[in-house]
Amino acid sequence: AVEVEWDGERYVKRLYARDGYLYESLTAAERPFTGEEGDSLCALDAFRPSVEDGLVTVRITLPGGQEQTVALALRAPAE
């Protein structure tokens, strides 16, 4: 999860896997995470996120076995 500020309000952006799909959500920071509020991005077989030395890496395996990796540098250190 990454916190962002937009128009003076705090939000949390999340990528997560649920029921065989990759989801993305953007919710108010004070709202509890339930996993029900996101938008489905794609079907997947595996979701492996990691954080190391300020780099967020997400590895996914799509149906059929194709693997994709995305790496993002954090602007602030992870807590």
Side-chain angles (χ1 to χ4, degrees):
V2 176
E3 282 198 27
V4 295
E5 187 170 324
W6 185 39
D7 287 339
E9 299 291 328
R10 303 285 306 162
Y11 294 89
V12 178
K13 184 162 187 104
R14 292 180 173 90
L15 283 178
Y16 59 96
R18 181 173 58 89
D19 300 330
Y21 287 87
L22 179 65
Y23 285 83
E24 173 185 48
S25 72
L26 179 67
T27 57
E30 67 274 359
R31 184 174 169 189
F33 177 67
T34 65
E36 299 292 326
E37 58 276 307
D39 295 315
S40 172
L41 300 177
C42 65
L44 53 77
D45 287 340
F47 176 72
R48 296 172 306 280
S50 63
V51 178
E52 187 175 324
D53 297 327
L55 188 67
V56 175
T57 303
V58 177
R59 291 177 176 85
I60 64 171
T61 304
L62 301 171
Q66 181 184 14
E67 293 190 6
Q68 298 287 319
T69 301
V70 174
L72 304 166
L74 297 173
R75 292 185 189 183
E79 295 181 12

